[in-house]
Amino acid sequence: MTDVLAAREGSEDSGDQYLLYRGGEWTEIPSPISTEGDWDKAVSEAGYQEFFGSGDPDSNYVSLRLYRGPSNYLIDLSSNVSSEMVYAATLPDAMELLGKWMPVVSAASLGCLLTELDQGESPLGKLIIKAAKNQ
């Protein structure tokens, strides 16, 4: 993994190469998805369908989306600042990567929820405050 990442970081043009995770190893593959234009349209045209999603980069700063494609899985990790894509060869490979990233997404979601509750701004926060006052 280190050699692949070092090669990517050291090159100015990666030639649209993306990381593929297979059985604990990372390799580079050309992206089957066009990085130009509308993201959702490009994903769909490449034959990928959303399989799982969690988080929202606009409200909790990070999200994780898993797409099932014709020959692999696409994992899109997005924040309110940037987005990164990696591929997983099989569902077990995708599940392993999700297991590593879900704590980050969950922590960000919980942190945002607690902030909203503290400020009383979210519908859930308002509901909890109302319920607490009725006790």
PDB file of all heavy atoms in Angstrom, residues 1-20 26-29 31 83-87:
ATOM      1  N   MET A   1       0.824  -1.190   0.000  1.00  0.00           N
ATOM      2  CA  MET A   1       0.000   0.000   0.000  1.00  0.00           C
ATOM      3  C   MET A   1       0.865   1.250   0.000  1.00  0.00           C
ATOM      4  O   MET A   1       0.597   2.183  -0.724  1.00  0.00           O
ATOM      5  CB  MET A   1      -0.931  -0.015   1.195  1.00  0.00           C
ATOM      6  CG  MET A   1      -1.802   1.208   1.260  1.00  0.00           C
ATOM      7  SD  MET A   1      -2.928   1.098   2.631  1.00  0.00           S
ATOM      8  CE  MET A   1      -2.901   2.773   3.163  1.00  0.00           C
ATOM      9  N   THR A   2       1.913   1.270   0.761  1.00  0.00           N
ATOM     10  CA  THR A   2       2.757   2.456   0.866  1.00  0.00           C
ATOM     11  C   THR A   2       3.360   2.833  -0.478  1.00  0.00           C
ATOM     12  O   THR A   2       3.383   4.006  -0.833  1.00  0.00           O
ATOM     13  CB  THR A   2       3.879   2.226   1.898  1.00  0.00           C
ATOM     14  OG1 THR A   2       3.284   1.813   3.115  1.00  0.00           O
ATOM     15  CG2 THR A   2       4.666   3.481   2.121  1.00  0.00           C
ATOM     16  N   ASP A   3       3.837   1.830  -1.246  1.00  0.00           N
ATOM     17  CA  ASP A   3       4.429   2.121  -2.545  1.00  0.00           C
ATOM     18  C   ASP A   3       3.416   2.733  -3.496  1.00  0.00           C
ATOM     19  O   ASP A   3       3.713   3.667  -4.225  1.00  0.00           O
ATOM     20  CB  ASP A   3       5.005   0.848  -3.168  1.00  0.00           C
ATOM     21  CG  ASP A   3       6.183   0.305  -2.380  1.00  0.00           C
ATOM     22  OD1 ASP A   3       6.812   1.099  -1.644  1.00  0.00           O
ATOM     23  OD2 ASP A   3       6.462  -0.894  -2.489  1.00  0.00           O
ATOM     24  N   VAL A   4       2.182   2.233  -3.491  1.00  0.00           N
ATOM     25  CA  VAL A   4       1.150   2.758  -4.359  1.00  0.00           C
ATOM     26  C   VAL A   4       0.825   4.188  -3.969  1.00  0.00           C
ATOM     27  O   VAL A   4       0.764   5.080  -4.806  1.00  0.00           O
ATOM     28  CB  VAL A   4      -0.119   1.881  -4.312  1.00  0.00           C
ATOM     29  CG1 VAL A   4      -1.247   2.527  -5.083  1.00  0.00           C
ATOM     30  CG2 VAL A   4       0.179   0.499  -4.867  1.00  0.00           C
ATOM     31  N   LEU A   5       0.639   4.427  -2.662  1.00  0.00           N
ATOM     32  CA  LEU A   5       0.321   5.779  -2.208  1.00  0.00           C
ATOM     33  C   LEU A   5       1.474   6.738  -2.475  1.00  0.00           C
ATOM     34  O   LEU A   5       1.258   7.862  -2.891  1.00  0.00           O
ATOM     35  CB  LEU A   5      -0.024   5.772  -0.722  1.00  0.00           C
ATOM     36  CG  LEU A   5      -1.342   5.110  -0.353  1.00  0.00           C
ATOM     37  CD1 LEU A   5      -1.505   5.066   1.157  1.00  0.00           C
ATOM     38  CD2 LEU A   5      -2.509   5.807  -0.988  1.00  0.00           C
ATOM     39  N   ALA A   6       2.691   6.297  -2.262  1.00  0.00           N
ATOM     40  CA  ALA A   6       3.846   7.162  -2.504  1.00  0.00           C
ATOM     41  C   ALA A   6       3.933   7.524  -3.980  1.00  0.00           C
ATOM     42  O   ALA A   6       4.219   8.661  -4.334  1.00  0.00           O
ATOM     43  CB  ALA A   6       5.126   6.472  -2.041  1.00  0.00           C
ATOM     44  N   ALA A   7       3.656   6.570  -4.847  1.00  0.00           N
ATOM     45  CA  ALA A   7       3.705   6.846  -6.280  1.00  0.00           C
ATOM     46  C   ALA A   7       2.624   7.844  -6.667  1.00  0.00           C
ATOM     47  O   ALA A   7       2.856   8.744  -7.455  1.00  0.00           O
ATOM     48  CB  ALA A   7       3.528   5.549  -7.068  1.00  0.00           C
ATOM     49  N   ARG A   8       1.445   7.717  -6.091  1.00  0.00           N
ATOM     50  CA  ARG A   8       0.357   8.640  -6.403  1.00  0.00           C
ATOM     51  C   ARG A   8       0.666  10.032  -5.897  1.00  0.00           C
ATOM     52  O   ARG A   8       0.454  11.021  -6.580  1.00  0.00           O
ATOM     53  CB  ARG A   8      -0.947   8.165  -5.788  1.00  0.00           C
ATOM     54  CG  ARG A   8      -1.521   6.958  -6.487  1.00  0.00           C
ATOM     55  CD  ARG A   8      -2.903   6.748  -6.050  1.00  0.00           C
ATOM     56  NE  ARG A   8      -3.627   7.988  -6.309  1.00  0.00           N
ATOM     57  CZ  ARG A   8      -4.929   8.080  -6.384  1.00  0.00           C
ATOM     58  NH1 ARG A   8      -5.660   7.045  -6.206  1.00  0.00           N
ATOM     59  NH2 ARG A   8      -5.510   9.226  -6.609  1.00  0.00           N
ATOM     60  N   GLU A   9       1.187  10.133  -4.668  1.00  0.00           N
ATOM     61  CA  GLU A   9       1.459  11.440  -4.088  1.00  0.00           C
ATOM     62  C   GLU A   9       2.593  12.145  -4.817  1.00  0.00           C
ATOM     63  O   GLU A   9       2.609  13.345  -4.933  1.00  0.00           O
ATOM     64  CB  GLU A   9       1.797  11.299  -2.607  1.00  0.00           C
ATOM     65  CG  GLU A   9       0.608  10.904  -1.772  1.00  0.00           C
ATOM     66  CD  GLU A   9       0.979  10.570  -0.348  1.00  0.00           C
ATOM     67  OE1 GLU A   9       2.178  10.665  -0.002  1.00  0.00           O
ATOM     68  OE2 GLU A   9       0.089  10.208   0.424  1.00  0.00           O
ATOM     69  N   GLY A  10       3.536  11.382  -5.343  1.00  0.00           N
ATOM     70  CA  GLY A  10       4.695  11.971  -5.997  1.00  0.00           C
ATOM     71  C   GLY A  10       4.454  12.380  -7.428  1.00  0.00           C
ATOM     72  O   GLY A  10       5.242  13.096  -8.007  1.00  0.00           O
ATOM     73  N   SER A  11       3.363  11.942  -8.026  1.00  0.00           N
ATOM     74  CA  SER A  11       3.118  12.275  -9.422  1.00  0.00           C
ATOM     75  C   SER A  11       2.147  13.432  -9.523  1.00  0.00           C
ATOM     76  O   SER A  11       1.206  13.531  -8.752  1.00  0.00           O
ATOM     77  CB  SER A  11       2.555  11.053 -10.159  1.00  0.00           C
ATOM     78  OG  SER A  11       1.297  10.711  -9.633  1.00  0.00           O
ATOM     79  N   GLU A  12       2.394  14.281 -10.517  1.00  0.00           N
ATOM     80  CA  GLU A  12       1.502  15.407 -10.709  1.00  0.00           C
ATOM     81  C   GLU A  12       0.226  14.983 -11.419  1.00  0.00           C
ATOM     82  O   GLU A  12      -0.829  15.535 -11.201  1.00  0.00           O
ATOM     83  CB  GLU A  12       2.213  16.500 -11.518  1.00  0.00           C
ATOM     84  CG  GLU A  12       3.295  17.197 -10.726  1.00  0.00           C
ATOM     85  CD  GLU A  12       3.949  18.292 -11.523  1.00  0.00           C
ATOM     86  OE1 GLU A  12       3.360  18.775 -12.498  1.00  0.00           O
ATOM     87  OE2 GLU A  12       5.071  18.678 -11.167  1.00  0.00           O
ATOM     88  N   ASP A  13       0.327  13.974 -12.294  1.00  0.00           N
ATOM     89  CA  ASP A  13      -0.832  13.487 -13.028  1.00  0.00           C
ATOM     90  C   ASP A  13      -0.942  11.997 -12.811  1.00  0.00           C
ATOM     91  O   ASP A  13      -0.125  11.232 -13.281  1.00  0.00           O
ATOM     92  CB  ASP A  13      -0.667  13.807 -14.513  1.00  0.00           C
ATOM     93  CG  ASP A  13      -1.855  13.331 -15.342  1.00  0.00           C
ATOM     94  OD1 ASP A  13      -2.907  13.017 -14.751  1.00  0.00           O
ATOM     95  OD2 ASP A  13      -1.714  13.280 -16.572  1.00  0.00           O
ATOM     96  N   SER A  14      -1.965  11.581 -12.079  1.00  0.00           N
ATOM     97  CA  SER A  14      -2.122  10.164 -11.777  1.00  0.00           C
ATOM     98  C   SER A  14      -2.700   9.409 -12.964  1.00  0.00           C
ATOM     99  O   SER A  14      -2.835   8.204 -12.914  1.00  0.00           O
ATOM    100  CB  SER A  14      -3.015   9.987 -10.544  1.00  0.00           C
ATOM    101  OG  SER A  14      -4.326  10.451 -10.833  1.00  0.00           O
ATOM    102  N   GLY A  15      -3.061  10.095 -14.068  1.00  0.00           N
ATOM    103  CA  GLY A  15      -3.615   9.430 -15.219  1.00  0.00           C
ATOM    104  C   GLY A  15      -4.948   8.765 -14.910  1.00  0.00           C
ATOM    105  O   GLY A  15      -5.263   7.719 -15.454  1.00  0.00           O
ATOM    106  N   ASP A  16      -5.743   9.396 -14.029  1.00  0.00           N
ATOM    107  CA  ASP A  16      -7.028   8.839 -13.628  1.00  0.00           C
ATOM    108  C   ASP A  16      -6.910   7.421 -13.088  1.00  0.00           C
ATOM    109  O   ASP A  16      -7.723   6.557 -13.369  1.00  0.00           O
ATOM    110  CB  ASP A  16      -8.024   8.908 -14.777  1.00  0.00           C
ATOM    111  CG  ASP A  16      -8.458  10.332 -15.071  1.00  0.00           C
ATOM    112  OD1 ASP A  16      -8.838  11.046 -14.133  1.00  0.00           O
ATOM    113  OD2 ASP A  16      -8.407  10.712 -16.242  1.00  0.00           O
ATOM    114  N   GLN A  17      -5.883   7.160 -12.319  1.00  0.00           N
ATOM    115  CA  GLN A  17      -5.696   5.881 -11.647  1.00  0.00           C
ATOM    116  C   GLN A  17      -6.261   5.994 -10.233  1.00  0.00           C
ATOM    117  O   GLN A  17      -6.040   6.991  -9.560  1.00  0.00           O
ATOM    118  CB  GLN A  17      -4.214   5.505 -11.577  1.00  0.00           C
ATOM    119  CG  GLN A  17      -3.584   5.243 -12.929  1.00  0.00           C
ATOM    120  CD  GLN A  17      -4.080   3.951 -13.546  1.00  0.00           C
ATOM    121  OE1 GLN A  17      -4.010   2.896 -12.931  1.00  0.00           O
ATOM    122  NE2 GLN A  17      -4.585   4.044 -14.759  1.00  0.00           N
ATOM    123  N   TYR A  18      -6.976   4.953  -9.816  1.00  0.00           N
ATOM    124  CA  TYR A  18      -7.569   4.941  -8.491  1.00  0.00           C
ATOM    125  C   TYR A  18      -7.182   3.659  -7.775  1.00  0.00           C
ATOM    126  O   TYR A  18      -6.832   2.663  -8.398  1.00  0.00           O
ATOM    127  CB  TYR A  18      -9.094   5.078  -8.584  1.00  0.00           C
ATOM    128  CG  TYR A  18      -9.492   6.468  -8.988  1.00  0.00           C
ATOM    129  CD1 TYR A  18      -9.570   6.827 -10.321  1.00  0.00           C
ATOM    130  CD2 TYR A  18      -9.741   7.443  -8.027  1.00  0.00           C
ATOM    131  CE1 TYR A  18      -9.909   8.113 -10.696  1.00  0.00           C
ATOM    132  CE2 TYR A  18     -10.074   8.731  -8.387  1.00  0.00           C
ATOM    133  CZ  TYR A  18     -10.155   9.060  -9.727  1.00  0.00           C
ATOM    134  OH  TYR A  18     -10.478  10.334 -10.085  1.00  0.00           O
ATOM    135  N   LEU A  19      -7.282   3.694  -6.469  1.00  0.00           N
ATOM    136  CA  LEU A  19      -6.890   2.538  -5.660  1.00  0.00           C
ATOM    137  C   LEU A  19      -8.001   1.497  -5.610  1.00  0.00           C
ATOM    138  O   LEU A  19      -9.173   1.835  -5.420  1.00  0.00           O
ATOM    139  CB  LEU A  19      -6.548   2.986  -4.243  1.00  0.00           C
ATOM    140  CG  LEU A  19      -5.301   3.864  -4.128  1.00  0.00           C
ATOM    141  CD1 LEU A  19      -5.159   4.397  -2.707  1.00  0.00           C
ATOM    142  CD2 LEU A  19      -4.070   3.078  -4.525  1.00  0.00           C
ATOM    143  N   LEU A  20      -7.617   0.234  -5.770  1.00  0.00           N
ATOM    144  CA  LEU A  20      -8.518  -0.913  -5.642  1.00  0.00           C
ATOM    145  C   LEU A  20      -8.011  -1.784  -4.506  1.00  0.00           C
ATOM    146  O   LEU A  20      -6.826  -2.145  -4.472  1.00  0.00           O
ATOM    147  CB  LEU A  20      -8.544  -1.737  -6.933  1.00  0.00           C
ATOM    148  CG  LEU A  20      -9.287  -3.076  -6.837  1.00  0.00           C
ATOM    149  CD1 LEU A  20     -10.798  -2.839  -6.825  1.00  0.00           C
ATOM    150  CD2 LEU A  20      -8.899  -3.992  -7.978  1.00  0.00           C
ATOM    151  N   TRP A  26      -3.541  -3.270  -1.908  1.00  0.00           N
ATOM    152  CA  TRP A  26      -3.948  -2.143  -2.746  1.00  0.00           C
ATOM    153  C   TRP A  26      -3.217  -2.203  -4.074  1.00  0.00           C
ATOM    154  O   TRP A  26      -2.012  -2.434  -4.116  1.00  0.00           O
ATOM    155  CB  TRP A  26      -3.621  -0.823  -2.066  1.00  0.00           C
ATOM    156  CG  TRP A  26      -4.434  -0.541  -0.846  1.00  0.00           C
ATOM    157  CD1 TRP A  26      -4.096  -0.820   0.455  1.00  0.00           C
ATOM    158  CD2 TRP A  26      -5.721   0.059  -0.796  1.00  0.00           C
ATOM    159  NE1 TRP A  26      -5.094  -0.419   1.295  1.00  0.00           N
ATOM    160  CE2 TRP A  26      -6.107   0.128   0.564  1.00  0.00           C
ATOM    161  CE3 TRP A  26      -6.595   0.548  -1.766  1.00  0.00           C
ATOM    162  CZ2 TRP A  26      -7.313   0.673   0.976  1.00  0.00           C
ATOM    163  CZ3 TRP A  26      -7.798   1.091  -1.353  1.00  0.00           C
ATOM    164  CH2 TRP A  26      -8.147   1.153  -0.001  1.00  0.00           C
ATOM    165  N   THR A  27      -3.952  -1.976  -5.172  1.00  0.00           N
ATOM    166  CA  THR A  27      -3.370  -1.824  -6.503  1.00  0.00           C
ATOM    167  C   THR A  27      -4.039  -0.623  -7.155  1.00  0.00           C
ATOM    168  O   THR A  27      -5.033  -0.106  -6.642  1.00  0.00           O
ATOM    169  CB  THR A  27      -3.594  -3.077  -7.381  1.00  0.00           C
ATOM    170  OG1 THR A  27      -4.997  -3.323  -7.487  1.00  0.00           O
ATOM    171  CG2 THR A  27      -2.889  -4.289  -6.801  1.00  0.00           C
ATOM    172  N   GLU A  28      -3.504  -0.195  -8.275  1.00  0.00           N
ATOM    173  CA  GLU A  28      -4.121   0.911  -8.999  1.00  0.00           C
ATOM    174  C   GLU A  28      -4.870   0.383 -10.214  1.00  0.00           C
ATOM    175  O   GLU A  28      -4.426  -0.567 -10.864  1.00  0.00           O
ATOM    176  CB  GLU A  28      -3.070   1.922  -9.448  1.00  0.00           C
ATOM    177  CG  GLU A  28      -2.555   2.780  -8.331  1.00  0.00           C
ATOM    178  CD  GLU A  28      -1.688   3.923  -8.838  1.00  0.00           C
ATOM    179  OE1 GLU A  28      -1.073   3.803  -9.919  1.00  0.00           O
ATOM    180  OE2 GLU A  28      -1.631   4.941  -8.142  1.00  0.00           O
ATOM    181  N   ILE A  29      -6.022   1.004 -10.493  1.00  0.00           N
ATOM    182  CA  ILE A  29      -6.803   0.676 -11.672  1.00  0.00           C
ATOM    183  C   ILE A  29      -7.248   1.979 -12.329  1.00  0.00           C
ATOM    184  O   ILE A  29      -7.338   3.011 -11.663  1.00  0.00           O
ATOM    185  CB  ILE A  29      -8.046  -0.167 -11.335  1.00  0.00           C
ATOM    186  CG1 ILE A  29      -9.010   0.611 -10.412  1.00  0.00           C
ATOM    187  CG2 ILE A  29      -7.655  -1.511 -10.734  1.00  0.00           C
ATOM    188  CD1 ILE A  29     -10.382  -0.016 -10.264  1.00  0.00           C
ATOM    189  N   SER A  31     -10.026   4.444 -13.551  1.00  0.00           N
ATOM    190  CA  SER A  31     -11.394   4.632 -13.078  1.00  0.00           C
ATOM    191  C   SER A  31     -12.388   4.337 -14.192  1.00  0.00           C
ATOM    192  O   SER A  31     -12.245   4.861 -15.298  1.00  0.00           O
ATOM    193  CB  SER A  31     -11.608   6.055 -12.590  1.00  0.00           C
ATOM    194  OG  SER A  31     -12.961   6.220 -12.208  1.00  0.00           O
ATOM    195  N   SER A  83     -13.436  15.157  -1.550  1.00  0.00           N
ATOM    196  CA  SER A  83     -13.995  13.827  -1.766  1.00  0.00           C
ATOM    197  C   SER A  83     -12.891  12.911  -2.296  1.00  0.00           C
ATOM    198  O   SER A  83     -12.042  13.346  -3.075  1.00  0.00           O
ATOM    199  CB  SER A  83     -15.132  13.903  -2.781  1.00  0.00           C
ATOM    200  OG  SER A  83     -15.702  12.638  -2.982  1.00  0.00           O
ATOM    201  N   GLU A  84     -12.918  11.662  -1.858  1.00  0.00           N
ATOM    202  CA  GLU A  84     -11.965  10.655  -2.326  1.00  0.00           C
ATOM    203  C   GLU A  84     -12.733   9.404  -2.715  1.00  0.00           C
ATOM    204  O   GLU A  84     -13.724   9.050  -2.072  1.00  0.00           O
ATOM    205  CB  GLU A  84     -10.954  10.295  -1.227  1.00  0.00           C
ATOM    206  CG  GLU A  84      -9.975  11.388  -0.900  1.00  0.00           C
ATOM    207  CD  GLU A  84      -8.963  11.665  -2.001  1.00  0.00           C
ATOM    208  OE1 GLU A  84      -8.657  10.745  -2.791  1.00  0.00           O
ATOM    209  OE2 GLU A  84      -8.487  12.805  -2.067  1.00  0.00           O
ATOM    210  N   MET A  85     -12.267   8.735  -3.764  1.00  0.00           N
ATOM    211  CA  MET A  85     -12.874   7.492  -4.207  1.00  0.00           C
ATOM    212  C   MET A  85     -11.848   6.377  -4.148  1.00  0.00           C
ATOM    213  O   MET A  85     -10.680   6.591  -4.502  1.00  0.00           O
ATOM    214  CB  MET A  85     -13.340   7.595  -5.661  1.00  0.00           C
ATOM    215  CG  MET A  85     -14.445   8.554  -5.908  1.00  0.00           C
ATOM    216  SD  MET A  85     -15.027   8.519  -7.629  1.00  0.00           S
ATOM    217  CE  MET A  85     -13.530   8.599  -8.591  1.00  0.00           C
ATOM    218  N   VAL A  86     -12.291   5.219  -3.706  1.00  0.00           N
ATOM    219  CA  VAL A  86     -11.498   3.995  -3.812  1.00  0.00           C
ATOM    220  C   VAL A  86     -12.454   2.896  -4.249  1.00  0.00           C
ATOM    221  O   VAL A  86     -13.678   3.030  -4.139  1.00  0.00           O
ATOM    222  CB  VAL A  86     -10.798   3.598  -2.490  1.00  0.00           C
ATOM    223  CG1 VAL A  86      -9.772   4.645  -2.081  1.00  0.00           C
ATOM    224  CG2 VAL A  86     -11.793   3.341  -1.387  1.00  0.00           C
ATOM    225  N   TYR A  87     -11.890   1.830  -4.744  1.00  0.00           N
ATOM    226  CA  TYR A  87     -12.679   0.696  -5.197  1.00  0.00           C
ATOM    227  C   TYR A  87     -12.339  -0.518  -4.349  1.00  0.00           C
ATOM    228  O   TYR A  87     -11.223  -0.647  -3.849  1.00  0.00           O
ATOM    229  CB  TYR A  87     -12.395   0.403  -6.670  1.00  0.00           C
ATOM    230  CG  TYR A  87     -12.861   1.511  -7.575  1.00  0.00           C
ATOM    231  CD1 TYR A  87     -12.042   2.601  -7.869  1.00  0.00           C
ATOM    232  CD2 TYR A  87     -14.134   1.484  -8.122  1.00  0.00           C
ATOM    233  CE1 TYR A  87     -12.486   3.622  -8.689  1.00  0.00           C
ATOM    234  CE2 TYR A  87     -14.585   2.511  -8.936  1.00  0.00           C
ATOM    235  CZ  TYR A  87     -13.751   3.573  -9.220  1.00  0.00           C
ATOM    236  OH  TYR A  87     -14.200   4.593 -10.019  1.00  0.00           O
TER     237      TYR A  87
END
